[in-house]
Amino acid sequence: MCGIVGGIGNLDYREFLLSGLRKLDYRGYDSAGLAFYNNGKISLYRAVGSVDNLASIVPEGHPGTAGIAHTRWATHGGVTVENAHPQRSYDKKVYLVHNGVIDNYKELKAFLAEKGITFRSDTDTEVIASLISYFLNEGESPLNAIHGAMKMIDGSYALAILFTGTPGLYFAKNKSPLVLGRGKGRINCLASDYAPLMDSCTGFAALEDGTYGVMSQNAVIAFKDGRNIALAFSSRDKEDYSYDLEGYPHFMLKEIHEGPGVMRKNVKNHYDAANGYLFDKKLLDQIAESDEIVLLGCGSSHYASEAAAAFFNTNGFRAASYIASEWIHGIYPRPKKPFYILISQSGETADLISCLDMIGEETPTLGIVNAKDSTIARRCSNVLYIEAGLEVAVASTKSFFGQLALMMLVCGALRKDKTVAEGILAAADSAEQVIAMADQIDAISEKFIAARDAFFVGRGFDFFAGEESSLKLKEIAYVHSEAYPGGELKHGPIALIEKDIPVVAFVGNEELSKLIRSNVEELLARGATPYIVSSKGCSKEGDAFVFPEVRPEFAPFPEIAFGQLLSYLLSIRRGLNVDKPRNLAKSVTVH
Ligand code: F6R
């Protein structure tokens, strides 16, 4: 995954690069590094672990006239200083940082090895540096050397490159995001996303695949297929990239608190009581004319899409939800006239981009996306932004609320049913009250402290809340957790139930309440410790937690608020790094 940042011109490089990395470390945080260009020479600093570890070895006031930096999520080679970026070419003429994966790096390595070139690291990135240097040594200019290498490389890359003895910050991009930023007062920068550029730049351009070029402090020159191209720079709203804890101890807690507000914002953006729904009619017509709505996503975005598909189905539209990385294998039915909805917080998820490659440009698509101008947002034929603002914690929270609310609103608009907008507003209030009852949830989290395993059960819409809550518990509290529809337990999983294993049962639907409660009895009889989380209308004496009543199809909002907080509070109790859990990255740009 990885994040890259670079700049040239009137910058305090140490500060710019380190603070940029801190804003990008959601993309990976197992090691970090940077390089300064100064008077023809390049100095390199790399460290295993956090950006703080890197900061501790980079001298204050380090001189430089350009710089590049990287935060890593290891794909090729272990977490070592030698594998951290920037990577150097064998002859130290080329230093670069890379986000992406080079598919044919073994072949390229063999090609270079034949020429007598040796390697210091296990990374695919070092191969790019030495390949560019190979072309330099063949007499090519830096730009032509980059272009020569691009023609040989299969795979994804966003690259920021420095050349020993040649001023200028060079770049190249294919299938990994890269944004250029133009600053006031002779500054040009680049990064994997907008956040690190917001303080220094006022104009931004997201690059297309196949673009490469060079920036000085005064100009940016870009090429595609050997031809000079013009870049269109536009402004961005700084608020969308606000990176401030605003008094909260962790981003995850802040973002859980923001969830209900994101739901209300989506209602406000797409509905008004006087005029009804405000979506583009053409978009609604395209959906209505399809014979099936196919929803694609990964992780939490997939769970949001499962709940949304059920919502479309129960409102009279045929819809199906698939995990993006499985859908691409062609094992699911292909409707004759599909309408595809691709759901993604980051807008950069590789598995989802592969779906777009398969869908092609003829079939209508809608991106439900948070990150503005991201690859998925640009490539879908329609896009609706969930307007959740920057989500910094690796575990998705407020985005889930925005995604599900927005898809439900689209469904409400298709049916011209104002009770959908009203239901979402009521669910936002209910979720907000759940969040206000954090002390009660914390008391429950104490009982999970020694748990190695846990279960979430539910029926109907409540099951989706179980899936998403279970994912949260795994991700940030490292509890092995399974989510099952209540009726499915007896078909196998109940064999795992042992004394004291905690089971959270969501009960948000009066009609299904009896059934799920009898499933809970079966678990109790086998020694489990159940925690029933019910809506007011479904609640019974002895339930562990009761949330304010909402219609059953909206119950996932308060239920998931409970699941998010339970996981957060348990993670804190266990002393874990809640915003940056192990092995994960926020933007999953590899397959
Ligand atoms: C879970 C989580 C991941 C993402 C998944 C998809 O908390 O954050 O499961 O939901 O990687 O990411 P996006 O939505 O960016 O496509």
Side-chain angles (χ1 to χ4, degrees), residues 159-183:
L159 298 170
I161 312 161
L162 297 174
F163 289 89
T164 301
T166 308
L169 172 56
Y170 291 77
F171 54 87
K173 182 248 180 296
N174 191 48
K175 294 186 185 161
S176 288
L178 189 60
V179 178
L180 304 191
R182 216 163 44 184

Side-chain angles (χ1 to χ4, degrees), residues 438-590:
D439 285 353
Q440 273 188 53
I441 304 174
D442 197 27
I444 297 174
S445 83
E446 196 182 352
K447 311 232 172 78
F448 277 64
I449 192 76
R452 285 189 49 227
D453 308 283
F455 278 79
F456 284 81
V457 296
R459 283 173 177 257
F461 281 88
D462 297 337
F463 166 58
F464 307 127
E467 287 186 295
E468 172 58 7
S469 301
S470 178
L471 177 64
K472 289 279 119 23
L473 204 67
K474 286 187 196 90
E475 280 180 301
I476 56 163
Y478 308 155
V479 177
H480 165 237
S481 174
E482 304 272 357
Y484 275 97
E488 193 61 11
L489 288 168
K490 286 194 287 294
H491 299 286
I494 203 163
L496 292 172
I497 297 297
E498 291 174 353
K499 193 166 166 342
D500 296 334
I501 198 164
V503 180
V504 175
F506 288 128
V507 188
N509 184 333
E510 174 79 69
E511 277 177 35
L512 306 178
S513 164
K514 252 201 182 135
L515 281 170
I516 189 75
R517 281 181 187 280
S518 84
N519 296 142
V520 170
E521 287 301 321
E522 291 154 8
L523 297 168
L524 195 60
R526 281 152 187 90
T529 307
Y531 298 91
I532 295 184
V533 175
S534 55
S535 70
K536 186 126 190 4
C538 300
S539 66
K540 285 222 157 87
E541 182 80 28
D543 286 356
F545 187 88
V546 178
F547 60 84
E549 187 69 9
V550 288
R551 275 165 41 199
E553 58 274 36
F554 299 108
F557 292 107
E559 289 166 350
I560 288 171
F562 174 92
Q564 290 174 350
L565 266 178
L566 176 70
S567 307
Y568 168 80
L569 292 164
L570 183 60
S571 176
I572 299 301
R573 278 186 182 279
R574 289 186 160 191
L576 301 173
N577 188 348
V578 69
D579 282 341
K580 290 180 199 151
R582 68 186 177 206
N583 302 339
L584 297 175
K586 188 144 189 79
S587 185
V588 185
T589 53
V590 293

Side-chain angles (χ1 to χ4, degrees), residues 15-330:
E15 164 58 21
F16 169 72
L17 295 174
L18 290 172
S19 74
L21 287 186
R22 289 196 170 93
K23 289 174 188 162
L24 285 176
D25 68 1
Y26 70 86
R27 304 176 71 87
Y29 34 83
D30 54 38
S31 43
L34 56 77
F36 300 107
Y37 179 92
N38 192 41
N39 273 333
K41 295 209 173 81
I42 295 173
S43 36
L44 177 67
Y45 298 89
R46 297 182 293 184
V48 163
S50 68
V51 176
D52 288 344
N53 294 357
L54 175 65
S56 71
I57 60 166
V58 180
E60 297 278 350
H62 194 294
T65 50
I68 55 175
H70 185 269
T71 177
R72 181 166 188 244
W73 189 90
T75 56
H76 293 71
V79 180
T80 63
V81 170
E82 202 47 78
N83 288 339
H85 301 203
Q87 284 289 318
R88 293 161 287 183
S89 60
Y90 68 101
D91 53 5
K92 300 192 185 166
K93 288 185 180 167
V94 180
Y95 286 66
L96 57 81
V97 289
H98 168 215
N99 168 33
V101 173
I102 305 307
D103 300 329
N104 62 340
Y105 88 100
K106 284 197 179 137
E107 290 89 321
L108 295 175
K109 206 168 180 172
F111 167 80
L112 293 168
E114 251 179 43
K115 318 264 176 242
I117 291 172
T118 55
F119 297 89
R120 298 183 190 90
S121 78
D122 311 311
T123 63
D124 50 348
T125 303
E126 186 185 357
V127 176
I128 314 175
S130 285
L131 189 61
I132 294 173
S133 192
Y134 162 77
F135 282 108
L136 275 185
N137 292 329
E138 292 283 292
E140 298 290 358
S141 67
L143 277 171
N144 286 341
I146 293 170
H147 192 210
M150 286 170 80
K151 285 196 256 180
M152 290 183 72
I153 294 171
D154 288 336
S156 56
Y157 50 86
L159 298 170
I161 312 161
L162 297 174
F163 289 89
T164 301
T166 308
L169 172 56
Y170 291 77
F171 54 87
K173 182 248 180 296
N174 191 48
K175 294 186 185 161
S176 288
L178 189 60
V179 178
L180 304 191
R182 216 163 44 184
K184 281 194 209 130
R186 314 211 306 178
I187 291 173
N188 282 306
C189 306
L190 54 79
S192 297
D193 82 18
Y194 295 88
L197 308 179
M198 293 315 291
D199 290 338
S200 328
C201 301
T202 48
F204 306 88
L207 295 185
E208 296 295 331
D209 286 346
T211 307
Y212 63 102
V214 57
M215 44 176 68
S216 65
Q217 60 179 6
N218 298 317
V220 180
I221 307 168
F223 299 86
K224 207 170 169 181
D225 302 325
R227 270 199 295 271
N228 193 205
I229 56 165
L231 295 174
F233 285 81
S234 58
S235 62
R236 301 235 78 86
D237 192 345
K238 219 173 164 180
E239 257 191 24
D240 287 340
Y241 305 93
S242 155
Y243 199 92
D244 188 350
L245 275 166
E246 289 166 18
Y248 287 94
H250 302 101
F251 280 106
M252 183 169 176
L253 186 61
K254 171 179 176 253
E255 290 159 6
I256 291 171
H257 277 258
E258 287 171 348
V262 173
M263 294 167 69
R264 293 187 188 110
K265 191 168 179 186
N266 275 281
V267 173
K268 190 162 168 260
N269 288 349
H270 301 291
Y271 174 82
D272 89 48
N275 300 304
Y277 289 93
L278 310 169
F279 292 103
D280 178 30
K281 185 171 174 317
K282 223 173 87 202
L283 166 66
L284 296 179
D285 287 347
Q286 281 176 2
I287 304 176
E289 284 159 14
S290 69
D291 60 1
E292 184 168 307
I293 303 166
V294 178
L295 298 106
L296 301 167
C298 308
S300 292
S301 298
H302 168 65
Y303 295 137
S305 82
E306 280 196 318
F311 195 77
F312 279 114
N313 285 325
T314 52
N315 277 286
F317 300 95
R318 203 186 148 101
S321 147
Y322 301 105
I323 293 172
S325 59
E326 283 297 297
W327 183 83
I328 50 174
H329 301 316

